[in-house]
Amino acid sequence: MSASNAPLQPVPFTSVTIEDRFWSPRQRVNREVSVRHSFEMLERAGNMVNLRLAAEGKRDGYQGLLFTDSDLYKVIEGAAYTLATHPDPALDRRLDELIAEIGRAQMADGYLNTWFQVTRPDQKWTNLRDHHELYCAGHLFEAAVAHHQATGKRNLLDIALKFADHIDKRFGPNGTHPGYAGHPEIELALVKLWKATGDDRWFRLARKLTEPRGAGFFADEHKTPRDRYDGTYWLDDVRLEEHREIKGHAVRAAYLLAGVADIVRETGDPALTKMLDRVWRNATEKRIFVTGGIGPSGHNEGFTVDYDLPNLTAYQETCASIAMALWGHRMGLLHGEGKYWDAVETALYNGLLSGVSLSGDRFFYVNPLASMGNHHRNEWFGCACCPPNVLRTIAWLGGYAYAVGGGDLVVNLYVGGRVETEVGGAKAKWKVETDYPWDGKVVLRPEFSGRHGLRLRLPGWCQSYRLHVNGQIVEGVASGYAVVPARDWKPSDVVELSLEMPVVQVEAHPLVKENRGRAAVRRGPLVYCAEQVDNDSPVFDAVVPLGSRFEARFDPKVLGGVVVVEAESLQFPANDWERTLYQAAPPAQRRTLRMVPYGFWDNRAAGPMAVWMPTVPAPPKVVGPEGKAKVSMSHVSGNCQPWGVNDGLEPESSGQQPAALCHFWPRKGGEEWVQYTWDKPLAISGVEVYWFDDTGRGECRLPSDWTLEALVGGAWQPVVIADRPIALDKWCKATFATLETSALRLKVRQKDGWASGIHEWRVIRDESD
């Protein structure tokens, strides 16, 4: 298969004008705030300093991580996209100045990577797995193509081509060295470079850096015996065509698969096509969040096992949602089926938009599906891959919306504005009027006279639709599209598509353990969440039974104007089970639960948030005095949930990953502590500890020792314990002489090189009185 014979060809973003009240404001903020903010952050983080150091041939003073060049290139790419749609002479000059500095930093042989040039000039290309040289090069190539498309200039493109030539001479089909990228990205970037220049040398290089993957190069590079090498994290564990599931690091996986899809569109390779199809099925049927993102685990920024889709601890990196959109877009072009843009749409409207604040200058790296109120966006990150990725994606959004194929204009995303392109060799221009995703009505008006067909995607969430052309019903459907057969269009024609958009409750597969007895709320492409700021009663106490009544209405005063969903909910007050066996069940309290789109959360007052709402009341938790204690810790990291230590949820094993976990990672070795504090003293005669251990996937292990201290008479006193057990998969109980205290501290001695964690810590109250 060649590109000319592929089912669909994308319509360039430069052919799309967006004019609506959903994406237009986000693109304006992206253009006016995020671009400026990103350049400011790059200067503050040292990216610009690093570039100047490399240009000046300096050997010290580098700031940041070894792959920070990629952040700079992504910002340039995003800024270039904004130039293409909204010319800005000042930004144009700024990019030219920056590109000139990049040119000065480039070495005579074409090599360009500031980390190596400043800190390790003698170690270039010595560690393809971990050093991200090819990854950074890929982002340079994407930026160069974007800048060339936006401005017609070759200044950055020539720099990129010089570096590509260097890489080809070393790693290409006639190169001197084997190898491929530890962090994929260059594969799809080289295909873009080929399309922009017409030089198939870059396509051949893309294939050379892609198709040998799984040959064990990284094992050889790191002198690891093949029988002891596990390349799963880098998708280097089996030959490329043998993959059966999405695995390893989420962003790397989806970037690689996107690149493979680009290549297969040209080669038609049947084995790789089958691989893409089965891995896509695994990803979308067993490993994707309802919000369109991927990657449940923070320890590897990626995948674990099928149906592992937690809420509070969901990682769902913003870049992974973007990577899923990139892959889905290419799968849709490859197969010509609308279902792939379902995944693109879900990722863009939920996982992507969650990644950036409405103000355009705060970002999420991690996107959980529940929060206790302590997860917030940052202005930038030490590893700042996500903010510039959001910038470039929002700026390029129009590139996802349309395609052409088989003499048809194919509409994949419903975005108000215009599209002007060629269909079947003839010019076509359409105006699109819609208030999508707030409303399911889409009106298309031709602004030309000519002949072609239309394909309008029928989203997977839509169960009922109506399509009319000039008032006449059209009923044809194929490959997930409503089809209007080829006809002669004139400016007076009107195409009207009405997608019914009710509020629905979505259940997860029963094997998603954390969401058994829960349902998410969705309206159209938008997944909703409950934020505490909108509700008087605790959102985590709300129960929304299946079949509840929902009301959706547009509220211009909420979050700049969104459709708010209100649900009938119940709350069940909890009984106090201390020193009692039977009690009357308190009556349920009826409440109205207000919900907003997930992509808009954490833009107002801080507070708890939940996507998956219980449909039945949870069984009462069995908790003792610890349930009434305030929890504090010696150290709380961004993915630690101190309240997990006394939430009353008994684990099945030490290795189980709970929704909320008390742990001390990333601190390793030394002594740490967790503390209970009560409003008034109580008599205690023992404790039980259930230790956490994630051997095989993380860095928490059983501690080497632990002790207790009690606050007595205003001073901390050691608690004398004869036996302090430490074991896996069981409660470790220790008793001691009764003492009266208002605070108890569990002190943990961590093993050298390892952190420790605690599933649950129970307190045994003295019952002698």
Side-chain angles (χ1 to χ4, degrees), residues 210 240 255-265 272 275-276:
T210 303
L240 193 59
Y255 277 3
L256 174 65
L257 294 164
V260 174
D262 272 340
I263 291 170
V264 169
R265 283 186 66 230
L272 289 180
M275 181 276 292
L276 286 170

Side-chain angles (χ1 to χ4, degrees), residues 597-710:
Y598 172 79
F600 290 69
W601 84 278
D602 194 46
N603 276 288
R604 298 168 294 171
M609 178 278 294
V611 169
W612 289 93
M613 307 304 300
T615 57
V616 294
K621 297 176 183 177
V622 180
V623 294
E626 68 277 359
K628 298 180 179 180
K630 176 183 176 182
V631 182
S632 55
M633 296 177 63
S634 56
H635 172 70
V636 180
S637 66
N639 69 343
C640 169
Q641 300 84 32
W643 56 90
V645 79
N646 67 339
D647 61 9
L649 300 177
E650 183 170 344
E652 297 176 2
S653 67
S654 291
Q656 180 181 344
Q657 188 72 44
L661 177 65
C662 170
H663 63 83
F664 304 107
W665 185 89
R667 291 193 181 183
K668 303 173 188 177
E671 188 174 83
E672 304 289 347
W673 54 262
V674 57
Q675 177 179 319
Y676 286 156
T677 304
W678 292 273
D679 293 336
K680 58 183 180 180
L682 67 160
I684 297 173
S685 60
V687 297
E688 292 179 295
V689 182
Y690 204 114
W691 298 104
F692 173 74
D693 187 298
D694 60 0
T695 296
R697 68 178 190 275
E699 297 181 326
C700 283
R701 301 292 184 271
L702 293 177
S704 60
D705 196 8
W706 63 276
T707 59
L708 283 178
E709 288 184 346

